[in-house]
Structure formats: structure tokens, C-alpha cells
Amino acid sequence: MLVLLPPSEGKASSGRGAPLKPESLSLPGLAGAREAVLGELVELCAGDEEKAREVLGLSEGLRGEVAKNAGLRAAGARPAGEIYTGVLYDALDLASLDAAAKRRAARSLLVFSGLWGAVRVSDRIPSYRCSMGVKLPGLGALSGHWRAPMAEVLPEAAGDGLVLDLRSAAYAAAWKPKGEIAGRTATVRVLHAPTRKVVSHFNKATKGRIVRSLLSAGGAPKDPAELVAALRDLGYQVEAEAPGRAGKPWSLDVLVEEIH
């Protein structure tokens, strides 16, 4: 099973660990594209601060993120699972998983990123600020920059098992499963059961709980149909819609009675 996650906008501080070693990151086929973004971002943020804020879409209160980006090459690095924070990652709570579930997380979770393309939660990265919606002066829109390298690398990472796609639209634009892989991909919406409306903030929390439940249970659903069965066994109310034709992902609705 491969689980595709969005990053979090907020991130923990890098701390005082050893600095980034780009060659140590998973998915080495993305190395060239990563270096291109990293170089552009560091150069941008080491120059005109106001221009950098404008390009990155940062408010006055986030001015400090520019200096942080400028120092990325020397900044301390920590496992990505510790760097990413926010609602989904709070609900996932990787740190409190047992040892077996942590090993499963390291194998199966892939976090998409405007800067790194995609990383495993065990990959050591510094804290940064660069969303997939950014258009860097020398590279253009990052979602477009990542499409070709992702198309080369992600099919191998997906293997021959289930792909659970929990990304937001901006990050999904960087790689869309196609053909046979799409047929074993499932996307998830979270609906408030009484109103049948999509929830927003709590969508992330529920997705974090779903991933945690799957990791803790230790099951390995091989396709979307098995995923539906596994989630129902774990107590989730799930409605599934198989694709109308081959080469399209499954759509899963998870219904929640209470929004929390």
C-alpha cells in the first residue's frame, strides 16, 4: 500500500540536527528536479525579501520564512514525519505509533511537497516554506515542474498494490495515477453524515485517523475493494463508487456523524 499525503503549511522547526543531505532522500530519480527547486528558492530568498514574499505568497507576519528558506542548505534536518505538523499530522500522531506501525509508515507514506516533490516520512529534511502553488521565477509553476519527473518515478514507487490518494488538489496536480495504477487508486472525501456536506478542517483530521487506523491494524489491502472492507472492519462508515471504466480511480466517501 502506498499512501499519498499533502504536506502541512505549518512546520516544526528544523532543530540542530545535521544539515540536509539531498543524496540521502528517497526517490533518487527526483534528485535533479529537487536541486533545481532548492537552488531557485535559496537564491530568491537570499535576494530581495519583498520579491520573495510576493512570489511565495507570504504575509508580513511570515517574513521570517524568507530568511529560513535562504539558509536551507545549512539548516538542521529532521525526519519529515516530525517536520510536518497541522491537523492531519496531529491526528496521525506518528510518534505514538508502536514500532511495527512506525515501520509500516516508513514504507508506505509519501508526502508531496513543492520543494522536494515527494519524500518518505523517514527522510531527513529542514523546515521550509514553499507550496506547490508557487511559481518560481526560473521554473514557473511547481506543479508543472514536477509532472515529468514524477511520471518517471512514482509508478515504480506505487508498485503493484493499492494507492490511497489523500492529497489536496494542488498536490494531486503534480502526479495523477494513470492506466492500471489508477484502477487500483482510491481517493477519499469526508462527509458529515446528517447533511451529506463535505467537511473542511475536519476532513484532514479524519484522513489522519484513517491512516493511523490502517497502520495500527497492520492490514495490507491490495486494492480499493479490500480497502473499503478494511475501513468498515475498523468502524468507518464508507460508501464506495467503483469507476465507470478502466483506468480511473475509485471514489470513497467516509461519513462522520460528529464533526471533531
Side-chain angles (χ1 to χ4, degrees):
M1 176 174 69
L2 184 68
V3 182
L4 311 181
L5 297 174
S8 58
E9 187 169 303
K11 298 172 184 69
S13 65
S14 296
R16 297 186 178 182
L20 169 72
K21 294 181 179 178
E23 69 277 7
S24 72
L25 298 178
S26 302
L27 309 179
L30 299 178
R34 285 171 177 150
E35 179 56 37
V37 180
L38 180 61
E40 281 276 337
L41 184 61
V42 169
E43 181 179 357
L44 171 71
C45 293
D48 186 328
E49 185 179 85
E50 293 306 316
K51 179 182 177 181
R53 279 183 56 212
E54 180 181 355
V55 170
L56 297 174
L58 299 178
S59 66
E60 173 65 31
L62 294 173
R63 181 180 292 274
E65 300 292 291
V66 175
K68 182 167 73 174
N69 282 347
L72 280 173
R73 294 190 186 276
R78 295 166 58 187
E82 297 176 13
I83 291 290
Y84 294 114
T85 59
V87 176
L88 187 154
Y89 292 91
D90 286 347
L92 174 54
D93 195 8
L94 287 167
S96 69
L97 291 172
D98 63 35
K102 285 179 179 175
R103 288 193 294 271
R104 287 189 282 272
R107 291 193 304 268
S108 62
L109 304 187
L110 202 60
V111 185
F112 275 62
S113 162
L115 174 52
W116 313 114
V119 292
R120 304 279 184 186
V121 292
S122 55
D123 285 335
R124 297 180 65 84
I125 60 173
S127 184
Y128 67 96
R129 191 76 174 220
C130 184
S131 71
M132 191 66 81
V134 165
K135 295 181 179 179
L136 290 176
L139 295 178
L142 290 179
S143 58
H145 170 77
W146 285 113
R147 273 190 206 113
M150 290 284 195
E152 291 289 328
V153 171
L154 266 293
E156 181 179 354
D160 58 3
L162 169 72
V163 177
L164 176 55
D165 190 351
L166 302 178
R167 298 171 297 167
S168 56
Y171 291 90
W175 181 64
K176 295 182 184 297
K178 297 182 183 299
E180 184 270 337
I181 298 175
R184 48 187 166 86
T185 296
T187 62
V188 173
R189 294 190 309 172
V190 180
L191 303 181
H192 185 215
T195 64
R196 311 293 296 186
K197 291 183 178 179
V198 175
V199 298
S200 53
H201 175 86
F202 303 100
N203 167 56
K204 297 177 182 179
T206 300
K207 288 178 177 178
R209 294 187 193 106
I210 286 172
V211 176
R212 181 180 177 86
S213 297
L214 291 168
L215 294 172
S216 298
K222 296 180 177 61
D223 57 41
E226 289 190 13
L227 172 64
V228 172
L231 290 176
R232 288 173 176 165
D233 287 345
L234 289 167
Y236 291 94
Q237 186 179 350
V238 182
E239 295 178 352
E241 182 179 344
R245 66 180 191 272
K248 294 293 183 180
W250 283 53
S251 298
L252 275 57
D253 287 340
V254 174
L255 282 73
V256 294
E257 294 292 334
E258 298 180 4
I259 298 179
H260 62 88

